[in-house]
Amino acid sequence: MKNVLPGVPHVESPFFKQLFSDPAIDDETRRIALDLAVKGYAVLDFPDAAFETKAEAIKADLLDHYDLEGWRAEGHRQGISLRVQDAWQFNERVRDIACNPHILALLSRLYGRQAWPFQTLNFPVGTQQHFHTDSIHFSSSPERFMCGVWVALEDINEENGPLVYFPGSHRWPIYTNEHVGLCVSQLGQTPTQALYEEMWRALVESHGAQPEYFHAKKGQALIWAANLMHGGSRQTDPMRTRWSQVTHYYFDDCAYYTPMMSDTFYGKIDFRKLTNIVTGEEMPQRYAGHAIPKGFVEACSTDAGHLLDEFDGKLYLEANPDVAAGNWNPAEHYLTHGRKEKRKLRP
């Protein structure tokens, strides 16, 4: 069938059945797709024959990057997490897991666009992180073209802080700053996800959502949708480790930004500058098949993106007849070109 909603991931599309009706799709892919569509997550064995060797090497290579002794003495009780972000930049085995070709092909089939990894996180212990959705940290336009793949580098049970998630919560609306009444541009401080936690707790209670815990075996992986409510449960035995790796993936032909740091209709969009871990290339910001002007990205990514209170589009066009002749939207021209060119705001 023709996909009449190309801006919706296949696994979250109202046309899911038609999009996955091809008899050439194997049973395992179909199972994973259905789990993602219904529950917002899917479990699979990580597809790498050398996984055991790579997992042990990652643990040995990264061990000195963490203060495990300090965490066991104080950090554990304080709910602090230990992590190394983007170890793919210096550890080839971390990069191998992030760039696994079978995972990339699977995600691309599930979402209907080419997947690419942009971030890795490596943990030696449980995160003990309040449940949250990745949609406030990593979002896209069109929305929901992001997912995480978590893989256990050792066996995990209730003692060493298993993942916790709320099945079906990925189907809830995506709530960002405007929904919780925040204008972060005027907040006076750097926002954190703590500003959302009361809302998330209320949502879970309102929906009567029940948590599930992933007691993973070494080598098991979990794919989760962008808006799935998930976190890290309390690690009851601080003497144990809980080695794992998370890789976050985006998909082609989107705009990529951080909603928690953005006030879209107040002139600030925190566009993310991202590297495709597979190719090493910076990924472009795109909208419906078209490149977003770099000037617009730069302007909206800084406080300069806010239009001056005295800005008047009609007067700006009168002061800049070449802009008027080019049929520009005056505000767009000012943000992308006029500000840098020091254009006059009025005649």
Side-chain angles (χ1 to χ4, degrees):
M1 65 165 286
K2 177 183 177 181
N3 185 9
V4 296
L5 286 176
V8 178
H10 285 186
V11 289
E12 302 207 35
S13 173
F15 304 109
F16 174 88
K17 289 184 179 179
Q18 295 93 323
L19 291 169
F20 288 93
S21 63
D22 186 347
I25 299 174
D26 63 89
D27 290 343
E28 177 67 354
T29 298
R30 201 181 305 277
R31 176 194 68 80
I32 292 170
L34 186 60
D35 282 350
L36 275 170
V38 174
K39 299 188 293 186
Y41 70 90
V43 177
L44 67 155
D45 293 328
F46 195 81
D48 187 337
F51 179 81
E52 174 72 24
T53 300
K54 291 177 182 178
E56 292 306 305
I58 288 171
K59 290 189 280 187
D61 292 346
L62 297 187
L63 181 60
D64 290 342
H65 290 263
Y66 309 101
D67 180 12
L68 276 174
E69 184 177 341
W71 182 83
R72 285 167 174 154
E74 295 292 338
H76 165 258
R77 289 194 295 271
Q78 298 169 2
I80 293 173
S81 171
L82 297 179
R83 66 179 65 190
V84 172
Q85 181 172 322
D86 293 328
W88 66 268
Q89 295 177 341
F90 60 86
N91 189 288
E92 192 63 28
R93 297 173 184 88
V94 170
R95 184 182 180 279
D96 283 348
I97 288 178
C99 299
N100 182 279
H102 301 288
I103 292 293
L104 290 172
L106 173 63
L107 296 179
S108 300
R109 180 66 186 86
L110 295 172
Y111 280 75
R113 298 189 183 192
Q114 179 62 48
W116 47 275
F118 67 91
Q119 184 191 80
T120 59
L121 298 170
N122 287 84
F123 303 95
V125 292
T127 66
Q128 305 188 113
Q129 188 177 20
H130 191 286
F131 54 82
H132 61 283
T133 78
D134 284 343
S135 292
I136 65 162
H137 297 291
F138 317 113
S139 196
S140 61
S141 180
E143 66 182 22
R144 301 176 188 263
F145 277 100
M146 198 289 303
C147 71
V149 177
W150 179 96
V151 60
L153 304 185
E154 64 177 316
D155 290 350
I156 295 168
N157 61 24
E158 66 278 358
E159 294 180 347
N160 58 342
L163 290 178
V164 58
Y165 39 79
F166 294 85
S169 58
H170 68 299
R171 294 193 296 266
W172 301 350
I174 293 176
Y175 296 112
T176 54
N177 291 336
E178 64 268 32
H179 302 108
V180 295
L182 285 176
C183 179
V184 296
S185 302
Q186 300 296 332
L187 192 60
Q189 66 186 64
T190 301
T192 68
Q193 75 168 42
L195 296 170
Y196 289 80
E197 290 174 1
E198 181 182 11
M199 179 266 291
W200 288 328
R201 289 191 293 270
L203 279 174
V204 166
E205 181 179 358
S206 176
H207 284 276
Q210 296 300 312
E212 291 187 4
Y213 300 87
F214 186 30
H215 294 166
K217 295 297 183 182
K218 185 178 185 179
Q220 282 190 308
L222 184 140
I223 305 171
W224 68 71
N227 203 43
L228 181 74
M229 199 76 73
H230 67 283
S233 57
R234 184 76 176 169
Q235 183 162 333
T236 59
D237 183 356
M239 299 311 296
R240 289 189 59 183
T241 56
R242 197 219 69 173
W243 286 94
S244 61
Q245 177 169 322
V246 175
T247 305
H248 289 115
Y249 296 83
Y250 269 130
F251 297 81
D252 277 355
D253 200 31
C254 295
Y256 315 103
Y257 72 108
T258 306
M260 186 171 65
M261 303 291 291
S262 301
D263 293 310
T264 307
F265 288 95
Y266 200 70
K268 181 174 175 60
I269 303 174
D270 190 49
F271 286 103
R272 299 180 69 92
K273 188 174 182 179
L274 299 167
T275 298
N276 181 333
I277 298 175
V278 175
T279 65
E281 298 175 348
E282 182 178 339
M283 296 302 288
Q285 300 283 352
R286 296 181 63 80
Y287 178 78
H290 301 277
I292 299 176
K294 289 185 178 180
F296 178 78
V297 172
E298 292 170 359
C300 289
S301 296
T302 67
D303 289 337
H306 303 306
L307 285 172
L308 299 174
D309 290 340
E310 65 268 24
F311 183 86
D312 184 301
K314 182 179 179 181
L315 293 177
Y316 182 75
L317 292 178
E318 290 179 7
N320 301 278
D322 58 322
V323 177
N327 292 319
W328 277 89
N329 175 289
E332 180 183 358
H333 186 276
Y334 174 73
L335 288 174
T336 56
H337 301 289
R339 179 179 58 84
K340 290 187 292 185
E341 296 170 1
K342 295 182 169 47
R343 295 264 188 164
K344 293 190 297 182
L345 294 179
R346 57 193 69 239

